[in-house]
């Protein structure tokens, strides 16, 4: 089977209604604004913080990501001011290096200072220094490595360090077109957008180079298509970070039609993620999978896929309403709100990444 059925649940019976969705997005936005404290930022969810004290600061699950999201949602909130306080807090007490998070990761996009500083609109030269500090990072991926900070280099028009980043990322590529990752104490190779092939190719603006690799590694079953996290990896995943939803969302029109539609159909037939484990988020939750359906609509212009994306959006919003608040862009309710807003606009703009290349 190409997905874990026990990780999914039946779709909500509530139908799409523009007014209800706008109200639900507004409620999540207002709750996030109300939960903010100028000194303590946002409370960390135990699943994101591993029980460590103090607020999280990064873009992935911390205050910088929340500030970025609230700005995108048009909240009545000083997002830049919140991001600058987040950056000041980071500088006052940078994370200690460890085997899981060595010193060079401090400068990363989603987990480190570059992302925080970018949201805080730090001076150009400061951002360039952070991007350059991330060159040579052994994490050859978008979350921690050069691929993520390359996106920032391009977004701020830092052409010299962008070229250096491109050269570093290309030099690290294996002969077969993939990259070897050295993160969290593990060495592995991955296909997905956050830890592997398509994320790096996205940063290089060279998604076409992945088409043959992705086709060769596709798994097919009864009209469905999925991908394992990487070559030789038998852990079945169907989510944005690993599996068909992330490849569809990132590759879009570069995917052959049979792979696009087969992966989208599997995502729809599997249904939304269940509440307790995966939840509503954009990394490995209902909203993240919904982005694959929205991207399929964007590529095909078939209204069926917009309807299906909107059904996932309603479900994700209901999950965010039912679960305890989780103030995190990639794992919490604010990501579901952004996805629902994109469904209202009928436009697939995956948070942070697609915005950095617009």
């Amino acid at each position: 089977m190409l997905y874990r059925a026990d990780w999914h649940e039946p779709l909500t019976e509530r139908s799409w209604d523009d007014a209800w969705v706008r109200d639900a997005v507004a409620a999540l936005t207002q709750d996030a604004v109300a939960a903010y404290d100028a000194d303590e930022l946002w409370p960390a969810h135990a699943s994101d913080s591993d029980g460590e004290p103090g607020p999280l600061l990064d873009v992935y699950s911390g205050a910088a990501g929340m500030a970025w999201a609230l700005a995108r949602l048009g909240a009545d909130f000083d997002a830049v001011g919140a991001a600058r306080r987040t950056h000041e807090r980071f500088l006052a007490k940078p994370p200690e290096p460890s085997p899981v998070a060595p010193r060079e990761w401090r400068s990363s996009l989603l987990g480190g200072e570059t992302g925080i500083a970018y949201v805080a609109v730090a001076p150009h030269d400061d951002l360039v220094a952070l991007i350059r500090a991330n060159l040579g990072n052994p994490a050859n991926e978008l979350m921690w490595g050069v691929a993520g900070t390359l996106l920032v280099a391009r977004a701020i028009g830092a052409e010299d360090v962008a070229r250096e980043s491109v050269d570093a990322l290309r030099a690290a590529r294996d002969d077969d077109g993939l990259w070897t990752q050295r993160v969290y104490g593990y060495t592995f190779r991955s296909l997905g957008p956050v830890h592997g092939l398509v994320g790096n190719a996205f940063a290089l603006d060279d998604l076409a180079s992945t088409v043959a690799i992705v086709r060769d590694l596709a798994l097919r079953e009864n009209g469905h298509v999925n991908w394992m996290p990487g070559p030789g990896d038998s852990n079945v995943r169907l989510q944005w970070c690993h599996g068909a939803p992330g490849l569809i969302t990132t590759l879009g029109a570069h995917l052959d039609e049979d792979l696009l539609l087969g992966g989208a159909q599997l995502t729809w037939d599997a249904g939304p993620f269940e509440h307790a484990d995966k939840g509503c988020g954009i990394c490995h939750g209902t909203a993240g999978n919904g982005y694959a359906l929205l991207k399929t609509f964007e590529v095909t212009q078939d209204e069926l896929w917009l309807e299906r994306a909107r059904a996932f959006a309603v479900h994700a919003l209901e999950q965010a309403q039912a679960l305890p608040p989780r103030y995190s862009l990639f794992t919490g309710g604010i990501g579901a709100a952004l996805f629902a807003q994109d469904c209202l606009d009928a436009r697939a703009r995956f948070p942070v990444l697609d915005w950095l290349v617009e």
Side-chain angles (χ1 to χ4, degrees):
M1 197 169 188
L2 297 184
Y3 72 99
R4 288 275 304 269
D6 58 316
W7 284 358
H8 298 264
E9 65 184 18
L11 193 66
T12 178
E13 294 182 1
R14 181 187 291 275
S15 59
W16 175 271
D17 176 80
D18 281 12
W20 183 88
V21 170
R22 291 184 194 280
D23 287 346
V25 169
L28 286 168
T29 302
Q30 290 162 10
D31 175 71
V33 171
Y36 174 75
D37 180 274
D39 294 321
E40 296 302 321
L41 307 175
W42 281 274
H45 191 279
S47 296
D48 295 318
S49 66
D50 294 326
E52 292 295 321
L56 297 171
L57 307 176
D58 57 44
V59 169
Y60 181 86
S61 59
M66 289 296 298
W68 182 91
L70 289 173
R72 302 292 83 73
L73 289 166
D76 183 11
F77 179 73
D78 181 9
V80 173
R84 285 176 174 163
R85 281 187 286 276
T86 301
H87 194 200
E88 289 167 1
R89 186 149 184 163
F90 182 97
L91 293 172
K93 191 178 180 181
E96 292 293 327
S98 71
V100 174
R103 187 174 302 279
E104 59 264 28
W105 289 8
R106 171 179 165 167
S107 297
S108 66
L109 168 63
L110 296 181
E113 188 181 358
T114 299
I116 298 169
Y118 177 77
V119 178
V121 197
H124 179 93
D125 290 350
D126 291 355
L127 285 167
V128 168
L130 287 168
I131 296 163
R132 188 162 279 127
N134 209 36
L135 296 173
N137 193 319
N140 293 309
E141 56 165 42
L142 197 148
M143 182 166 186
W144 294 105
V146 173
T149 46
L150 168 57
L151 290 176
V152 176
R154 287 187 167 144
I156 66 172
E159 295 181 4
D160 289 346
V161 76
R163 282 193 295 270
E164 293 170 36
S165 299
V166 167
D167 291 345
L169 193 55
R170 285 179 173 163
R173 197 168 195 173
D174 298 336
D175 291 341
D176 62 359
L178 281 82
W179 280 265
T180 299
Q181 310 300 336
R182 295 172 180 86
V183 293
Y184 310 127
Y186 299 100
T187 299
F188 61 95
R189 302 206 300 167
S190 176
L191 299 180
V194 72
H195 294 306
L197 171 68
V198 299
N200 288 354
F202 175 82
L204 288 171
D205 193 21
D206 186 23
L207 289 169
S209 70
T210 70
V211 171
I213 300 170
V214 166
R215 170 164 281 284
D216 287 345
L217 293 173
L219 302 176
R220 299 166 178 83
E221 183 180 284
N222 299 324
H224 290 155
V225 174
N226 199 7
W227 290 263
M228 293 296 143
D233 190 333
S234 60
N235 294 309
V236 176
R237 295 290 184 271
L238 183 67
Q239 51 205 41
W240 175 77
C241 48
H242 295 294
L247 270 69
I248 290 171
T249 301
T250 309
L251 287 170
H254 292 275
L255 269 178
D256 295 330
E257 185 178 71
D258 63 318
L259 300 181
L260 173 76
L261 297 179
Q265 190 65 49
L266 176 63
T267 302
W268 171 253
D269 288 343
F273 280 111
E274 50 87 18
H275 279 58
D277 183 25
K278 297 291 186 177
C280 65
I282 60 172
C283 183
H284 40 264
T286 298
N289 282 20
Y291 267 110
L293 306 178
L294 190 57
K295 176 60 75 172
T296 303
F297 162 70
E298 194 171 82
V299 173
T300 65
Q301 290 299 295
D302 183 342
E303 294 283 337
L304 172 66
W305 294 107
L306 178 58
E307 292 173 9
R308 290 176 168 182
R310 286 175 166 175
F312 266 48
V314 170
H315 196 99
L317 290 172
E318 287 191 334
Q319 287 180 319
Q321 293 170 342
L323 293 167
R326 188 168 181 172
Y327 302 108
S328 159
L329 172 54
F330 275 75
T331 61
I334 207 71
L338 285 163
F339 171 56
Q341 184 61 57
D342 281 349
C343 284
L344 282 164
D345 297 338
R347 182 181 179 190
R349 296 173 292 184
F350 193 83
V352 181
L353 307 186
D354 284 336
W355 291 79
L356 280 169
V357 300
E358 283 192 339

